[in-house]
Amino acid sequence: MSQKPSGPVVKLVALEDYRALARLSMSPAVFDYIDGAACDELTTRANRRDLDRVALLPLCMRDVSALELAMAVLGHTFRFPVGFSPTAFHRLVHRDGEVATARAARALDIPMIVSSMSSISLEVIARESGNDNLWLQAYLFKDRELTTDLIRRAECAGFKAIVVTLGCPVPGKRDRNLRNGFRLPDGISAANFARRDLANSNNPISSVAVDIDPSVTWRDLAWLCETTRLPVIAKGVINPLDVAPALELKLSGIMVSNHGGRQLDTTVSTISVLPEIVRAVAGRVPVFVDSGFRRGTDVFKALAAGADGVFVGRPVMWALAVGGEAGVVGAMNLLVEELRVAMLLAGCASAADARREAAHLLRWR
Amino acid sequence: MSQKPSGPVVKLVALEDYRALARLSMSPAVFDYIDGAACDELTTRANRRDLDRVALLPLCMRDVSALELAMAVLGHTFRFPVGFSPTAFHRLVHRDGEVATARAARALDIPMIVSSMSSISLEVIARESGNDNLWLQAYLFKDRELTTDLIRRAECAGFKAIVVTLGCPVPGKRDRNLRNGFRLPDGISAANFARRDLANSNNPISSVAVDIDPSVTWRDLAWLCETTRLPVIAKGVINPLDVAPALELKLSGIMVSNHGGRQLDTTVSTISVLPEIVRAVAGRVPVFVDSGFRRGTDVFKALAAGADGVFVGRPVMWALAVGGEAGVVGAMNLLVEELRVAMLLAGCASAADARREAAHLLRWR
Amino acid sequence: MSQKPSGPVVKLVALEDYRALARLSMSPAVFDYIDGAACDELTTRANRRDLDRVALLPLCMRDVSALELAMAVLGHTFRFPVGFSPTAFHRLVHRDGEVATARAARALDIPMIVSSMSSISLEVIARESGNDNLWLQAYLFKDRELTTDLIRRAECAGFKAIVVTLGCPVPGKRDRNLRNGFRLPDGISAANFARRDLANSNNPISSVAVDIDPSVTWRDLAWLCETTRLPVIAKGVINPLDVAPALELKLSGIMVSNHGGRQLDTTVSTISVLPEIVRAVAGRVPVFVDSGFRRGTDVFKALAAGADGVFVGRPVMWALAVGGEAGVVGAMNLLVEELRVAMLLAGCASAADARREAAHLLRWR
Amino acid sequence: MSQKPSGPVVKLVALEDYRALARLSMSPAVFDYIDGAACDELTTRANRRDLDRVALLPLCMRDVSALELAMAVLGHTFRFPVGFSPTAFHRLVHRDGEVATARAARALDIPMIVSSMSSISLEVIARESGNDNLWLQAYLFKDRELTTDLIRRAECAGFKAIVVTLGCPVPGKRDRNLRNGFRLPDGISAANFARRDLANSNNPISSVAVDIDPSVTWRDLAWLCETTRLPVIAKGVINPLDVAPALELKLSGIMVSNHGGRQLDTTVSTISVLPEIVRAVAGRVPVFVDSGFRRGTDVFKALAAGADGVFVGRPVMWALAVGGEAGVVGAMNLLVEELRVAMLLAGCASAADARREAAHLLRWR
């Protein structure tokens, strides 16, 4: 895709290229808000390092003429086994904000998890994008009504799932934001909380955080599962020990995540715990994963290791900044095309093929 | 905290920022004296590398609404599980020297180990700071009277513990100091030894070292335990083999330390031996640790691995240089706040929680 | 060898020197086409890293006065256990193209695998070079006649073996080529396909790829073995799991290859899987290996690990660019001389010696 | 030590400082001849990396008041457990050449192995230095008389041992020398071979190499042991497999060496095989080691791992360049002082102490 019509023709051949171009299109503080992570950002690096360290041992002479890329989860068959992780305030990088992203997800036929910290209200996102496969990310607030109100609104707006963020009673310590004194620019706010003071704060992340309940346990998540007719996915499981209590609830999925390294620095990479979590889940619910996936081979490794789908966060923001809806579609097509090549070259016609051969296909160091 | 009123506003968001600012406030030779370590400084780097390599696997959905950070040791419940390692000559970096540091420790309600090589006499530190929870670091000198005299004075001045440095019959070879030809500036001396020639030497570290007894064994430490009514902590245990003989004495604590890499280069990192030492101690005495701890997650890892408290040395000097008492309080609050966030995000309401789950929380590489 | 008569005298003492000089003799886009690999090029780096990590433990006091370097395979005793991997379009770097390379192979008495994507037709290469020990690389095309036609022509032109590329139903995603918008310069084409439209395309690699059959299985390779009287070597085995089905066919050799990292990025290095593949093959057919071999010690390690011969690709292109036929002869003599020194210093008079002592000679990390 | 009286005062606090200063005192080609190693010089780096990776776990409260540093081998008690590895052509860096080095060895009371490629004849070295504890390095030449003649001369000149270089039938491929076209300057020659044409060659290393017998086996070394009344040390054992045949001969010592990485690149580091070789030797003869030792802790680790003595090569050349005899004495005193500090801080009063506790003192990664 070529952007910047009046400037040089740029080539975007890898997701990292979107990052490079996005960087030039926004203020350093906003770029750092997106790009940054907690403290020394070691988890962010570990996510990449550990994905890069999984070596592939392609199989040859397998019939890969009929590639199967679809992901059937939560009653819908999405076209690709990838989706959008929840990221806040898309209007920070593009005037159309989450509407553009949701349109891209609809065009691609992949799931988008709308952040409850969206810069456009969830109703407007759903209506303007025409995307009827959106999932909503939610927190368990101290004031449970704040949570249930959001969930009701998501139900009414036709959202298809609730993704509850676990293990984040406080926001991570983001040193880049602290150095930059980052605050939301005028005109950007937490649109879902329009009637509350926190939406007007120019640091709504911290304001919302104040309302997140640090006392919640699995029992509270059980309550939340009861409180909605929508399927509930638990996002943020990283310790295999947490799979057993999670499976006792009526969850519709688990998402392995370290929040892209933005919460607790030196948290283990997701790819390195994924196999243990998949083993513990034992097929009872779908397993999703995010945090650091940038290449088709990354997605392929997660699928082979047993993930049902792989979600990306920052790349969506980069692509949105670069080209709005078309930018996001382009970036995801690029990722999916890399995945397609990876499957062809690895000799796997489907994720099921890859998973069956995983012991031979992947070498962990 | 903003320093340098007439200059730019600086943001200090991590302990390393204090180092960066401190560097600008002192001569390179003094900075090197503080920052440097033995020979190639590999142990100093290993301390960081090994802390960074311990990966965390946060637990979620644990009630962390009531965080417990206190450290109850030696008959006092300190507010936080951190303290100040002994470092020499605080007046090198701030005119108020150890008095300012001791005031900060008092304000924070955390233990400070006053170096016997302090630039202000132990009596003045105690009196001027009003801190009645100070511990005194001591050596076993050839001239035992030199040791007992110091201990007596500490007892009289209201110190609460003696921390005996083990395994340092000579100072480490500090290549930076040798290159700089480092000597103490005029007006800075080893104040506790005012009546001895060594205080007037401008290289009192070496002068004192000459007096340290290289023939001491556990028997001599046993004698020292008998000679004082104060609790005695043995600092410098790094080999798990040394735990058994130490436990035969009437010690009140063991401090795992490689002296920040300043003594024997290529000594193992403290975090990597901490679990073995904790196992060997088996709860019979408190275990403290220092050498390279800079982040809340570092402290959290040590607590999970079984340490009762974590001590820091160089950061205290940086913060003292940056802002005297207030600088030290600010730096330590920053560290403690990082610890608090780490505990919240790791799903541990207390050090005991962390320790109980350590096998699942920490992944060692 | 001194090149560039009117310029400075250059010293070429290692294969990497040929790369450095070649870089100066061609357009960046052509250099990148040769030098580049798939995506992040991690496999290319892994090939080097893993070769460098195999440590040698030389044996001493062995009679190495009669070194044996010959490689007897497919009915011919080649002078050295090295050969040329198939690389496309030699006329990109030297006007004499594959004819010069084939002459060099003849002068050296080592095997050359002519790429089916050669820039000179296989008949002309054979005739003009006088090399009657050429092997032809081939694909299994959707249109089987395209494959059989090439093989017939190779048989008629006196080629001695067919090397079938496995596991490449699509070309790897080469980010450097995409960034450069790489296309073949005018006058360079896929000469073996002169009567087809793909030869006239300026992106014949992709054009040919379209014709490669992604549905092929071992059965199709069995058919190919039947269809020619020439010995067939299967190139591209990397997963030990693929050895068993390969051995059921009438193959005359297996080549362990990750295509120099140009196909699927993050594929494991060839040296790291070579021992397992050698074990699985158990001597039933010769095993060859390529991908990243640059030093005599690299070749020695592969021989000790059980390879019958080691092939190089990019270095041939570099040397051809630097000096045509003489350049290639010079580069290979340099590599062989390094191998000779390695064998003398390791105390091995032959590859058989090395292989017998491999458990003691090589240390894998 | 301060050199260059008319220039700035320089501080030499570590052996690497001698390298830095030496570099400024000689032509780049000579520096590269000394500093360089085979091919990519990976073994040279591995020697350092593996020494640095051995972590120390100091023991405390051991009586180290009576340090024992002496090395009793071959009937003499040297003052320190260090010595000079054979290095060629000392007159390349200092006009007094090997005489200065031998005087330094005498002053230090440590063994010096005179290279047979010395730039001063062995008789002159012995006579002018007054050192009656020299050892002579020798090769097994094709012309055995050349070997026996040298040994006779060493016997007559009062040398105390013969150190036979094993496993070097050819010189390593030194890429730096090849790039530099290195040749000996006028006036420097292989003085021991004055009556032979090779001494007059300006590439006597290669000339001598031509005469080294690649057919020698342990039988030939047995013959050499018979042919001299001097004790014979076998230098260059790196593979533990070679210990058994070596021990069948009447050797007086084994030196573990990879020749500083100058022979076969990617050879394993000496420190990493030392423990296995020590185990295989089982105390039957002294074990020496060289290749990459630069710090007191390096020497200490080798002693703890069972070496009787540690030899250094390049540092002798650097120190000789920097200050002749005094330079060498200064550099070695620095190394020995570092060793002394290491022993004091590790809690070991002798090499025997260290060796007895080695399992606890050293941690190998």
mmCIF file of all heavy atoms in Angstrom, chain D residues 51 133 270:
data_model
loop_
_atom_site.group_PDB
_atom_site.id
_atom_site.type_symbol
_atom_site.label_atom_id
_atom_site.label_comp_id
_atom_site.label_asym_id
_atom_site.label_seq_id
_atom_site.Cartn_x
_atom_site.Cartn_y
_atom_site.Cartn_z
ATOM 1 N N LEU D 51 35.729 -18.451 30.396
ATOM 2 C CA LEU D 51 36.313 -18.089 31.690
ATOM 3 C C LEU D 51 35.378 -17.150 32.448
ATOM 4 O O LEU D 51 35.148 -17.320 33.647
ATOM 5 C CB LEU D 51 37.686 -17.437 31.502
ATOM 6 C CG LEU D 51 38.837 -18.427 31.293
ATOM 7 C CD1 LEU D 51 40.067 -17.735 30.717
ATOM 8 C CD2 LEU D 51 39.188 -19.124 32.607
ATOM 9 N N ASN D 133 66.125 -21.760 34.701
ATOM 10 C CA ASN D 133 64.890 -22.550 34.826
ATOM 11 C C ASN D 133 64.043 -22.470 33.572
ATOM 12 O O ASN D 133 62.824 -22.559 33.638
ATOM 13 C CB ASN D 133 64.080 -22.077 36.029
ATOM 14 C CG ASN D 133 64.229 -23.081 37.174
ATOM 15 O OD1 ASN D 133 64.030 -24.271 36.949
ATOM 16 N ND2 ASN D 133 64.582 -22.595 38.342
ATOM 17 N N THR D 270 39.787 -23.795 26.560
ATOM 18 C CA THR D 270 40.536 -24.707 27.434
ATOM 19 C C THR D 270 39.867 -24.862 28.800
ATOM 20 O O THR D 270 39.842 -25.955 29.351
ATOM 21 C CB THR D 270 42.000 -24.249 27.613
ATOM 22 O OG1 THR D 270 42.021 -22.909 28.090
ATOM 23 C CG2 THR D 270 42.758 -24.338 26.311
#
